[in-house]
Coordinates of all heavy atoms in Angstrom, one line a residue:
M1 N -12.6 36.2 20.7 CA -12.5 36.5 19.3 C -12.0 37.9 19.2 O -12.3 38.8 19.9 CB -13.8 36.3 18.6 CG -14.3 34.9 18.6 SD -15.1 34.3 17.1 CE -16.7 35.1 17.2
N2 N -11.1 38.1 18.2 CA -10.5 39.3 17.9 C -11.0 39.9 16.6 O -11.6 39.2 15.7 CB -9.0 39.2 17.8 CG -8.3 38.7 19.0 OD1 -8.7 39.0 20.1 ND2 -7.3 37.9 18.9
K3 N -10.9 41.2 16.4 CA -11.3 41.9 15.2 C -10.2 42.1 14.3 O -9.1 42.5 14.8 CB -12.0 43.2 15.5 CG -13.3 43.0 16.3 CD -14.0 44.4 16.4 CE -15.3 44.1 17.1 NZ -16.4 45.0 16.8
Y4 N -10.4 41.8 13.0 CA -9.3 42.0 12.0 C -9.7 42.8 10.8 O -10.9 42.8 10.6 CB -8.8 40.6 11.6 CG -8.2 39.8 12.6 CD1 -8.9 38.8 13.4 CD2 -6.9 39.9 12.9 CE1 -8.4 38.1 14.4 CE2 -6.3 39.1 14.0 CZ -7.1 38.2 14.6 OH -6.5 37.4 15.6
E5 N -8.8 43.4 10.2 CA -9.0 44.1 8.9 C -8.0 43.5 7.9 O -6.9 43.4 8.1 CB -8.7 45.6 9.1 CG -9.0 46.4 7.9 CD -8.8 47.9 8.2 OE1 -7.6 48.3 8.2 OE2 -9.8 48.5 8.5
M6 N -8.6 43.1 6.7 CA -7.8 42.5 5.7 C -8.0 43.2 4.4 O -9.2 43.5 4.0 CB -8.2 41.0 5.5 CG -7.5 40.3 4.4 SD -7.7 38.6 4.3 CE -9.4 38.4 4.1
L7 N -6.9 43.7 3.8 CA -6.9 44.3 2.4 C -6.2 43.3 1.5 O -5.1 42.9 1.8 CB -6.3 45.6 2.5 CG -6.2 46.4 1.2 CD1 -7.6 46.8 0.8 CD2 -5.3 47.6 1.3
F8 N -6.8 43.1 0.4 CA -6.2 42.2 -0.6 C -6.5 42.8 -2.0 O -7.5 43.4 -2.2 CB -6.6 40.7 -0.4 CG -8.0 40.4 -0.5 CD1 -8.6 40.0 -1.7 CD2 -8.8 40.5 0.6 CE1 -10.0 39.7 -1.7 CE2 -10.2 40.2 0.6 CZ -10.8 39.8 -0.6
I9 N -5.5 42.5 -2.9 CA -5.6 43.0 -4.3 C -5.7 41.8 -5.2 O -4.9 40.9 -5.2 CB -4.4 43.8 -4.6 CG1 -4.1 44.9 -3.6 CG2 -4.5 44.4 -6.0 CD1 -2.8 45.6 -3.7
I10 N -6.8 41.7 -6.0 CA -7.0 40.6 -6.9 C -6.6 41.2 -8.3 O -6.7 42.3 -8.6 CB -8.5 40.3 -6.9 CG1 -9.0 39.9 -5.6 CG2 -8.8 39.2 -8.0 CD1 -10.5 39.7 -5.5
D11 N -6.0 40.3 -9.0 CA -5.6 40.6 -10.4 C -6.8 41.1 -11.2 O -7.9 40.5 -11.2 CB -5.0 39.3 -11.1 CG -4.5 39.6 -12.5 OD1 -4.5 40.7 -12.9 OD2 -4.0 38.6 -13.1
N12 N -6.6 42.3 -11.8 CA -7.7 42.8 -12.5 C -8.1 42.1 -13.8 O -9.2 42.4 -14.3 CB -7.3 44.4 -12.9 CG -8.6 45.2 -13.0 OD1 -9.6 45.0 -12.3 ND2 -8.4 46.3 -13.8
A13 N -7.3 41.2 -14.3 CA -7.6 40.4 -15.5 C -8.7 39.4 -15.2 O -9.3 38.8 -16.1 CB -6.4 39.8 -16.0
V14 N -8.9 39.0 -13.9 CA -9.9 38.1 -13.5 C -11.3 38.6 -13.8 O -11.6 39.8 -13.7 CB -9.7 37.8 -12.0 CG1 -10.8 36.7 -11.5 CG2 -8.4 37.2 -11.7
S15 N -12.2 37.7 -14.2 CA -13.6 38.2 -14.6 C -14.3 38.6 -13.3 O -13.9 38.3 -12.1 CB -14.4 37.0 -15.2 OG -14.5 36.0 -14.3
D16 N -15.4 39.4 -13.4 CA -16.2 39.8 -12.3 C -16.7 38.6 -11.5 O -16.8 38.7 -10.3 CB -17.4 40.6 -12.8 CG -16.9 42.0 -13.3 OD1 -15.7 42.4 -13.0 OD2 -17.7 42.6 -14.1
E17 N -17.1 37.5 -12.1 CA -17.6 36.4 -11.4 C -16.4 35.7 -10.6 O -16.6 35.2 -9.5 CB -18.2 35.3 -12.4 CG -19.5 35.8 -13.1 CD -19.1 36.6 -14.4 OE1 -18.0 36.5 -14.9 OE2 -20.1 37.4 -14.7
G18 N -15.3 35.8 -11.2 CA -14.1 35.2 -10.5 C -13.7 36.0 -9.3 O -13.4 35.5 -8.2
K19 N -13.8 37.3 -9.4 CA -13.6 38.2 -8.2 C -14.6 37.9 -7.1 O -14.2 37.9 -5.9 CB -13.6 39.7 -8.7 CG -12.5 40.1 -9.6 CD -12.6 41.4 -10.1 CE -11.7 41.8 -11.2 NZ -12.0 43.0 -11.9
E20 N -15.9 37.8 -7.5 CA -16.9 37.6 -6.5 C -16.7 36.2 -5.8 O -16.9 36.0 -4.6 CB -18.3 37.6 -7.2 CG -18.8 38.9 -7.5 CD -19.0 39.8 -6.2 OE1 -19.4 39.2 -5.2 OE2 -18.8 41.0 -6.4
A21 N -16.2 35.2 -6.6 CA -16.0 33.8 -6.1 C -14.8 34.0 -5.1 O -14.9 33.3 -4.0 CB -15.6 32.9 -7.2
I22 N -13.8 34.7 -5.3 CA -12.6 34.8 -4.4 C -13.1 35.5 -3.0 O -12.8 35.0 -2.0 CB -11.5 35.6 -5.0 CG1 -10.9 34.8 -6.2 CG2 -10.4 36.0 -4.0 CD1 -9.9 35.6 -7.0
V23 N -13.9 36.6 -3.2 CA -14.4 37.3 -2.0 C -15.2 36.4 -1.2 O -15.2 36.2 0.0 CB -15.1 38.6 -2.4 CG1 -15.7 39.2 -1.2 CG2 -14.1 39.5 -3.0
S24 N -16.2 35.6 -1.9 CA -17.1 34.8 -1.1 C -16.4 33.6 -0.5 O -16.7 33.1 0.6 CB -18.2 34.4 -2.0 OG -17.7 33.5 -3.1
K25 N -15.3 33.1 -1.2 CA -14.6 32.0 -0.6 C -13.9 32.4 0.7 O -13.9 31.7 1.7 CB -13.5 31.4 -1.6 CG -12.7 30.3 -1.1 CD -11.7 29.8 -2.1 CE -10.9 28.7 -1.5 NZ -9.8 28.3 -2.4
L26 N -13.2 33.5 0.7 CA -12.6 34.0 1.9 C -13.6 34.3 3.0 O -13.3 34.1 4.1 CB -11.7 35.3 1.6 CG -10.5 35.0 0.6 CD1 -9.8 36.3 0.3 CD2 -9.6 34.0 1.3
S27 N -14.8 34.9 2.6 CA -15.8 35.1 3.6 C -16.3 33.8 4.2 O -16.5 33.7 5.4 CB -17.0 35.9 3.0 OG -16.5 37.1 2.5
Q28 N -16.4 32.8 3.4 CA -17.0 31.5 3.8 C -15.9 30.9 4.8 O -16.3 30.2 5.7 CB -17.3 30.6 2.7 CG -18.0 29.3 3.1 CD -18.5 28.5 1.9 OE1 -18.3 29.0 0.7 NE2 -19.1 27.4 2.2
I29 N -14.7 31.0 4.5 CA -13.7 30.4 5.4 C -13.8 31.0 6.9 O -13.8 30.2 7.8 CB -12.2 30.7 4.9 CG1 -12.0 29.9 3.6 CG2 -11.2 30.3 5.9 CD1 -10.8 30.3 2.9
V30 N -14.1 32.3 6.9 CA -14.2 32.9 8.2 C -15.5 32.5 8.9 O -15.5 32.1 10.0 CB -14.2 34.5 8.0 CG1 -14.6 35.2 9.4 CG2 -12.8 34.9 7.6
T31 N -16.6 32.5 8.1 CA -17.9 32.1 8.8 C -18.1 30.7 9.1 O -18.7 30.3 10.1 CB -19.1 32.5 7.9 OG1 -18.9 32.0 6.6 CG2 -19.1 34.1 7.7
D32 N -17.4 29.8 8.3 CA -17.4 28.3 8.7 C -16.8 28.0 10.0 O -17.2 27.0 10.6 CB -16.8 27.5 7.5 CG -17.7 27.4 6.3 OD1 -18.9 27.8 6.3 OD2 -17.1 27.0 5.2
D33 N -15.9 28.7 10.4 CA -15.2 28.5 11.7 C -15.8 29.3 12.9 O -15.1 29.4 13.9 CB -13.7 28.7 11.5 CG -12.9 28.0 12.6 OD1 -13.3 26.9 13.1 OD2 -11.8 28.5 13.1
G34 N -16.9 29.8 12.7 CA -17.5 30.5 13.7 C -17.3 32.0 13.8 O -17.7 32.7 14.7
G35 N -16.6 32.6 12.8 CA -16.3 34.0 12.8 C -17.4 34.8 12.1 O -18.4 34.2 11.6
Q36 N -17.3 36.1 12.2 CA -18.4 36.9 11.6 C -17.7 38.0 10.7 O -16.7 38.6 11.0 CB -19.1 37.7 12.7 CG -20.0 36.8 13.6 CD -20.7 37.7 14.6 OE1 -20.4 38.8 14.9 NE2 -21.7 37.0 15.3
I37 N -18.4 38.1 9.5 CA -17.9 39.2 8.6 C -18.7 40.4 9.0 O -19.9 40.5 9.0 CB -18.2 38.8 7.1 CG1 -17.6 37.5 6.7 CG2 -17.8 40.0 6.1 CD1 -16.1 37.5 6.7
E38 N -17.9 41.5 9.3 CA -18.6 42.8 9.7 C -19.0 43.6 8.4 O -19.9 44.2 8.3 CB -17.7 43.6 10.6 CG -17.5 42.9 12.0 CD -16.6 43.6 12.8 OE1 -16.0 44.6 12.5 OE2 -16.4 43.1 14.0
K39 N -17.9 43.6 7.4 CA -18.1 44.5 6.3 C -17.1 44.0 5.2 O -16.0 43.7 5.5 CB -17.8 46.0 6.7 CG -18.0 47.0 5.6 CD -17.7 48.4 6.2 CE -17.7 49.4 5.1 NZ -17.3 50.7 5.6
V40 N -17.6 44.1 4.0 CA -16.7 43.8 2.8 C -17.0 45.0 1.9 O -18.0 45.3 1.5 CB -17.2 42.5 2.1 CG1 -16.4 42.4 0.8 CG2 -17.0 41.3 3.0
D41 N -15.9 45.8 1.7 CA -15.9 46.9 1.0 C -15.0 46.8 -0.3 O -13.8 46.6 -0.2 CB -15.3 48.1 1.8 CG -15.5 49.5 1.1 OD1 -16.3 49.6 0.2 OD2 -15.0 50.5 1.6
K42 N -15.7 46.7 -1.4 CA -15.0 46.5 -2.7 C -14.6 47.9 -3.3 O -15.5 48.7 -3.7 CB -15.8 45.8 -3.7 CG -16.1 44.4 -3.2 CD -17.1 43.7 -4.0 CE -17.5 42.3 -3.4 NZ -18.8 41.9 -3.7
W43 N -13.4 48.2 -3.2 CA -12.9 49.5 -3.7 C -12.9 49.6 -5.2 O -12.9 50.7 -5.8 CB -11.6 49.9 -3.1 CG -11.5 50.1 -1.7 CD1 -12.6 50.1 -0.8 CD2 -10.4 50.3 -0.9 NE1 -12.2 50.3 0.5 CE2 -10.8 50.5 0.5 CE3 -9.0 50.4 -1.2 CZ2 -9.9 50.7 1.5 CZ3 -8.1 50.6 -0.2 CH2 -8.6 50.8 1.2
G44 N -12.8 48.5 -5.9 CA -12.7 48.5 -7.4 C -11.4 48.5 -7.9 O -10.4 48.3 -7.2
A45 N -11.3 48.7 -9.2 CA -9.9 48.6 -9.9 C -9.2 49.9 -9.7 O -9.8 51.0 -9.9 CB -10.2 48.4 -11.4
K46 N -7.9 49.9 -9.3 CA -7.1 51.0 -9.1 C -5.7 50.7 -9.6 O -5.3 49.6 -9.8 CB -7.0 51.3 -7.7 CG -8.3 51.7 -7.1 CD -8.1 52.4 -5.7 CE -9.4 52.8 -5.1 NZ -10.1 53.9 -5.7
K47 N -5.0 51.7 -10.1 CA -3.7 51.6 -10.5 C -2.8 51.2 -9.3 O -2.9 51.9 -8.3 CB -3.3 52.9 -11.2 CG -1.8 52.8 -11.8 CD -1.7 54.0 -12.7 CE -0.2 54.0 -13.3 NZ 0.2 52.8 -13.9
L48 N -1.9 50.3 -9.5 CA -0.9 49.9 -8.5 C 0.2 50.9 -8.3 O 0.6 51.6 -9.3 CB -0.3 48.5 -8.7 CG -1.3 47.4 -8.9 CD1 -0.6 46.1 -9.3 CD2 -2.0 47.1 -7.5
A49 N 0.8 51.1 -7.1 CA 1.9 52.0 -6.9 C 3.1 51.6 -7.7 O 3.8 52.5 -8.2 CB 2.2 52.2 -5.5
Y50 N 3.3 50.3 -7.8 CA 4.4 49.8 -8.7 C 3.9 48.4 -9.3 O 3.0 47.8 -8.7 CB 5.6 49.6 -7.8 CG 5.4 48.7 -6.5 CD1 5.5 47.3 -6.5 CD2 4.9 49.3 -5.4 CE1 5.2 46.6 -5.5 CE2 4.7 48.5 -4.3 CZ 4.8 47.2 -4.3 OH 4.6 46.4 -3.2
P51 N 4.5 48.0 -10.4 CA 4.0 46.8 -11.0 C 4.3 45.5 -10.1 O 5.3 45.4 -9.5 CB 4.8 46.7 -12.3 CG 5.4 48.0 -12.5 CD 5.5 48.7 -11.2
I52 N 3.4 44.7 -10.1 CA 3.4 43.3 -9.3 C 3.2 42.3 -10.3 O 2.1 42.3 -10.9 CB 2.4 43.4 -8.1 CG1 2.5 44.5 -7.2 CG2 2.5 42.0 -7.4 CD1 1.5 44.5 -6.1
N53 N 4.2 41.4 -10.5 CA 4.1 40.4 -11.5 C 3.7 40.9 -12.9 O 2.9 40.3 -13.5 CB 3.1 39.3 -11.1 CG 3.5 38.6 -9.8 OD1 4.7 38.6 -9.4 ND2 2.5 38.0 -9.1
Y54 N 4.3 42.0 -13.2 CA 4.1 42.7 -14.5 C 2.6 43.2 -14.7 O 2.2 43.5 -15.8 CB 4.5 41.8 -15.7 CG 5.9 41.3 -15.6 CD1 6.1 40.0 -15.2 CD2 7.0 42.2 -15.8 CE1 7.5 39.6 -15.0 CE2 8.3 41.7 -15.7 CZ 8.5 40.4 -15.3 OH 9.8 40.0 -15.2
K55 N 1.9 43.4 -13.6 CA 0.5 43.9 -13.6 C 0.6 45.3 -13.1 O 1.3 45.7 -12.2 CB -0.4 43.1 -12.7 CG -0.3 41.5 -12.9 CD -1.2 41.1 -14.1 CE -1.1 39.6 -14.1 NZ -1.5 39.1 -15.4
N56 N -0.2 46.2 -13.7 CA -0.2 47.6 -13.3 C -1.5 48.0 -12.6 O -1.6 49.1 -12.0 CB 0.0 48.5 -14.6 CG 1.4 48.4 -15.1 OD1 2.3 48.4 -14.3 ND2 1.5 48.3 -16.4
D57 N -2.5 47.2 -12.8 CA -3.9 47.4 -12.1 C -4.3 46.3 -11.2 O -3.9 45.1 -11.5 CB -5.0 47.6 -13.2 CG -4.7 48.8 -14.1 OD1 -4.2 49.8 -13.6 OD2 -5.0 48.8 -15.3
G58 N -5.0 46.6 -10.2 CA -5.6 45.5 -9.3 C -6.9 45.9 -8.8 O -7.3 47.1 -8.8
F59 N -7.7 44.9 -8.3 CA -9.0 45.1 -7.8 C -8.9 45.0 -6.3 O -8.6 44.0 -5.7 CB -10.0 44.1 -8.4 CG -11.4 44.3 -7.9 CD1 -12.2 45.2 -8.7 CD2 -11.9 43.6 -6.8 CE1 -13.5 45.3 -8.3 CE2 -13.3 43.8 -6.5 CZ -14.1 44.6 -7.2
Y60 N -9.1 46.2 -5.5 CA -8.9 46.2 -4.1 C -10.2 45.8 -3.3 O -11.2 46.2 -3.7 CB -8.6 47.7 -3.7 CG -7.1 48.1 -4.0 CD1 -6.7 48.2 -5.4 CD2 -6.1 48.2 -3.1 CE1 -5.4 48.6 -5.7 CE2 -4.9 48.6 -3.4 CZ -4.5 48.8 -4.7 OH -3.2 49.2 -5.0
V61 N -10.0 45.0 -2.3 CA -11.1 44.6 -1.5 C -10.6 44.8 0.0 O -9.6 44.3 0.4 CB -11.6 43.2 -1.7 CG1 -12.7 42.8 -0.8 CG2 -11.9 43.0 -3.2
L62 N -11.5 45.4 0.8 CA -11.2 45.6 2.2 C -12.2 44.8 3.0 O -13.5 45.0 2.8 CB -11.3 47.1 2.6 CG -11.1 47.4 4.1 CD1 -9.6 47.1 4.5 CD2 -11.4 48.8 4.4
M63 N -11.9 43.9 3.9 CA -12.8 43.0 4.6 C -12.5 43.2 6.1 O -11.4 43.0 6.5 CB -12.5 41.6 4.2 CG -13.5 40.6 4.9 SD -13.2 38.9 4.4 CE -13.6 38.9 2.7
N64 N -13.5 43.6 6.9 CA -13.5 43.6 8.3 C -14.2 42.4 8.9 O -15.3 42.1 8.5 CB -14.1 44.8 8.8 CG -13.4 46.1 8.4 OD1 -12.2 46.2 8.6 ND2 -14.1 47.1 7.9
F65 N -13.5 41.7 9.8 CA -14.2 40.4 10.3 C -13.7 40.2 11.7 O -12.8 40.9 12.2 CB -13.9 39.2 9.4 CG -12.4 38.9 9.2 CD1 -11.8 38.0 10.0 CD2 -11.7 39.5 8.3 CE1 -10.5 37.6 9.8 CE2 -10.3 39.2 8.1 CZ -9.7 38.3 8.8
E66 N -14.4 39.3 12.4 CA -14.1 38.9 13.7 C -14.0 37.4 13.8 O -14.9 36.7 13.3 CB -15.2 39.4 14.7 CG -15.0 39.2 16.1 CD -16.1 39.8 17.0 OE1 -17.0 40.5 16.5 OE2 -16.1 39.5 18.2
C67 N -12.8 36.9 14.4 CA -12.6 35.4 14.4 C -11.6 35.1 15.5 O -11.0 35.9 16.1 CB -12.2 34.9 13.0 SG -10.6 35.4 12.6
K68 N -11.4 33.8 15.6 CA -10.4 33.3 16.5 C -9.0 33.6 15.9 O -8.8 33.6 14.7 CB -10.5 31.8 16.7 CG -11.9 31.4 17.3 CD -11.9 29.9 17.3 CE -13.3 29.4 17.5 NZ -13.5 27.9 17.3
P69 N -8.0 33.8 16.7 CA -6.7 34.1 16.2 C -6.1 33.0 15.3 O -5.4 33.3 14.4 CB -5.8 34.3 17.4 CG -6.8 34.6 18.6 CD -8.1 33.9 18.2
E70 N -6.4 31.7 15.6 CA -5.9 30.7 14.8 C -6.4 30.7 13.3 O -5.8 30.2 12.5 CB -6.2 29.3 15.4 CG -5.8 29.1 16.9 CD -6.9 29.6 17.8 OE1 -8.1 29.5 17.6 OE2 -6.5 30.3 18.8
L71 N -7.5 31.2 13.1 CA -8.2 31.3 11.8 C -7.4 32.2 10.8 O -7.4 31.9 9.6 CB -9.6 31.6 11.9 CG -10.5 31.6 10.6 CD1 -10.5 30.2 10.1 CD2 -11.8 32.1 10.8
V72 N -6.7 33.2 11.4 CA -6.0 34.2 10.5 C -5.0 33.4 9.7 O -4.7 33.7 8.5 CB -5.4 35.3 11.3 CG1 -4.6 36.2 10.4 CG2 -6.5 36.1 12.0
A73 N -4.3 32.4 10.3 CA -3.3 31.7 9.6 C -3.9 30.9 8.5 O -3.2 30.8 7.3 CB -2.6 30.7 10.6
E74 N -5.1 30.3 8.6 CA -5.7 29.5 7.6 C -6.1 30.5 6.5 O -5.9 30.1 5.3 CB -6.9 28.8 8.1 CG -7.8 28.1 7.1 CD -7.0 27.0 6.3 OE1 -6.1 26.5 6.9 OE2 -7.5 26.7 5.3
V75 N -6.6 31.7 6.8 CA -7.1 32.6 5.7 C -5.8 33.0 4.9 O -5.9 33.1 3.6 CB -7.8 33.8 6.3 CG1 -7.9 34.9 5.3 CG2 -9.1 33.5 7.0
E76 N -4.7 33.3 5.5 CA -3.5 33.7 4.9 C -3.0 32.6 4.0 O -2.4 32.7 2.9 CB -2.5 34.2 5.8 CG -2.7 35.6 6.4 CD -1.7 36.2 7.2 OE1 -1.0 35.4 7.9 OE2 -1.6 37.4 7.2
R77 N -3.1 31.4 4.5 CA -2.6 30.2 3.8 C -3.5 30.1 2.4 O -2.9 29.8 1.3 CB -2.8 28.9 4.5 CG -2.2 27.6 3.9 CD -2.5 26.4 4.7 NE -3.8 26.0 4.7 CZ -4.3 25.2 3.7 NH1 -3.5 24.9 2.7 NH2 -5.6 24.8 3.7
Q78 N -4.7 30.2 2.6 CA -5.7 30.2 1.3 C -5.3 31.3 0.4 O -5.4 31.1 -0.9 CB -7.1 30.2 1.8 CG -7.6 29.0 2.5 CD -7.7 27.8 1.6 OE1 -7.8 27.9 0.4 NE2 -7.5 26.6 2.2
I79 N -4.9 32.4 0.9 CA -4.6 33.5 0.0 C -3.3 33.3 -0.7 O -3.1 33.5 -1.9 CB -4.5 34.9 0.8 CG1 -5.9 35.3 1.2 CG2 -3.8 36.0 0.0 CD1 -5.9 36.5 2.1
R80 N -2.3 32.7 0.0 CA -1.0 32.4 -0.7 C -1.1 31.3 -1.7 O -0.4 31.4 -2.7 CB 0.0 32.0 0.4 CG 0.6 33.2 1.2 CD 1.8 32.8 2.0 NE 1.5 31.8 3.0 CZ 1.1 32.1 4.2 NH1 0.9 33.3 4.6 NH2 0.8 31.1 5.1
I81 N -2.1 30.4 -1.6 CA -2.4 29.4 -2.5 C -2.9 29.9 -3.8 O -2.6 29.5 -4.9 CB -3.3 28.3 -2.0 CG1 -2.6 27.5 -0.9 CG2 -3.8 27.4 -3.1 CD1 -3.5 26.5 -0.1
N82 N -3.7 31.0 -3.7 CA -4.4 31.6 -4.9 C -3.5 32.5 -5.7 O -3.1 33.5 -5.1 CB -5.7 32.3 -4.4 CG -6.6 32.6 -5.5 OD1 -6.2 32.8 -6.6 ND2 -7.8 32.8 -5.2
D83 N -3.2 32.1 -6.9 CA -2.3 33.0 -7.7 C -3.0 34.2 -8.2 O -2.3 35.1 -8.7 CB -1.8 32.2 -8.9 CG -0.9 31.1 -8.5 OD1 -0.2 31.2 -7.5 OD2 -0.8 30.1 -9.3
Q84 N -4.3 34.4 -8.1 CA -5.0 35.5 -8.6 C -5.0 36.7 -7.6 O -5.4 37.8 -8.0 CB -6.4 35.1 -8.9 CG -6.5 34.1 -10.1 CD -7.9 33.6 -10.3 OE1 -8.7 33.6 -9.3 NE2 -8.2 33.2 -11.4
I85 N -4.6 36.4 -6.4 CA -4.4 37.5 -5.4 C -3.0 38.0 -5.4 O -2.1 37.2 -5.1 CB -4.9 37.0 -4.0 CG1 -6.3 36.6 -4.0 CG2 -4.6 38.2 -3.0 CD1 -6.9 36.0 -2.7
L86 N -2.8 39.2 -5.8 CA -1.4 39.7 -5.9 C -0.8 40.1 -4.5 O 0.3 39.8 -4.4 CB -1.5 41.1 -6.8 CG -2.1 40.9 -8.2 CD1 -2.2 42.2 -8.9 CD2 -1.3 39.9 -9.0
R87 N -1.5 40.7 -3.7 CA -1.0 41.2 -2.4 C -2.1 41.1 -1.4 O -3.2 41.2 -1.7 CB -0.4 42.6 -2.4 CG 0.9 42.8 -3.1 CD 2.0 42.3 -2.3 NE 3.3 42.6 -2.9 CZ 3.9 41.9 -3.8 NH1 3.4 40.8 -4.2 NH2 5.1 42.3 -4.3
H88 N -1.7 40.9 -0.1 CA -2.7 41.0 1.0 C -2.0 41.5 2.3 O -0.8 41.5 2.4 CB -3.3 39.6 1.2 CG -2.4 38.7 1.9 ND1 -1.3 38.0 1.3 CD2 -2.3 38.2 3.2 CE1 -0.7 37.3 2.1 NE2 -1.3 37.4 3.3
M89 N -2.8 42.0 3.2 CA -2.3 42.4 4.5 C -3.5 42.2 5.5 O -4.6 42.6 5.3 CB -1.9 43.8 4.5 CG -1.3 44.2 5.8 SD -0.5 45.9 5.8 CE -1.7 46.9 5.0
V90 N -3.2 41.5 6.6 CA -4.2 41.3 7.7 C -3.6 42.1 8.9 O -2.5 41.9 9.3 CB -4.4 39.8 8.0 CG1 -5.4 39.7 9.1 CG2 -4.8 39.1 6.8
V91 N -4.5 42.9 9.5 CA -4.1 43.7 10.7 C -5.2 43.5 11.7 O -6.3 43.5 11.5 CB -4.0 45.2 10.3 CG1 -3.7 46.0 11.5 CG2 -3.1 45.5 9.2
K92 N -4.6 43.2 13.0 CA -5.6 43.1 14.2 C -5.9 44.5 14.6 O -5.1 45.4 14.8 CB -4.8 42.4 15.3 CG -5.7 42.2 16.5 CD -4.8 41.4 17.5 CE -5.7 41.3 18.8 NZ -4.9 40.7 19.9
K93 N -7.3 44.8 14.7 CA -7.7 46.1 15.1 C -7.5 46.3 16.6 O -7.5 45.4 17.4 CB -9.2 46.2 14.8 CG -9.4 46.5 13.3 CD -10.9 46.7 13.2 CE -11.2 47.4 11.8 NZ -12.6 47.7 11.7

């Protein structure tokens, strides 16, 4: 299993419960396949460097986890399906 770091930006217009649901869904995808969540750091709402889909603010979340390499593709697929996530980046540590 490899260690990964994922940063994603959720649309700030989403309710707090919706933001929690997105974070817990992504965490559950990792843990259901035998991975481990090391840390979830919610940075909160910040101004974007440039507008994305006419949005100027986003809710930043940094997630460190350990999983099989094949699982990263599934996590990214789930992120691309969700229209409430503006941007994401997954990096192998």
Side-chain angles (χ1 to χ4, degrees):
M1 294 218 286
N2 298 325
K3 293 186 179 212
Y4 296 95
E5 181 175 83
M6 176 171 61
L7 178 68
F8 56 97
I9 305 171
I10 303 171
D11 184 1
N12 206 28
V14 176
S15 67
D16 290 339
E17 294 83 21
K19 292 172 188 169
E20 286 296 324
I22 291 171
V23 172
S24 63
K25 179 181 177 185
L26 294 175
S27 299
Q28 186 171 2
I29 291 170
V30 173
T31 55
D32 284 349
D33 199 32
Q36 293 181 345
I37 302 294
E38 294 175 0
K39 182 178 172 185
V40 176
D41 190 12
K42 297 174 187 149
W43 292 356
K46 297 194 180 291
K47 185 167 175 50
L48 300 174
Y50 54 90
I52 301 173
N53 298 336
Y54 306 103
K55 311 278 184 193
N56 293 317
D57 297 324
F59 187 83
Y60 285 70
V61 180
L62 178 69
M63 182 183 296
N64 294 311
F65 59 96
E66 187 175 350
C67 69
K68 300 176 197 169
E70 306 85 42
L71 185 63
V72 175
E74 174 62 22
V75 171
E76 287 186 328
R77 185 182 77 81
Q78 292 291 332
I79 288 174
R80 283 193 297 273
I81 289 172
N82 193 335
D83 292 335
Q84 297 172 332
I85 298 177
L86 303 175
R87 288 284 189 271
H88 75 282
M89 181 170 51
V90 180
V91 178
K92 181 179 174 185
K93 283 187 165 183

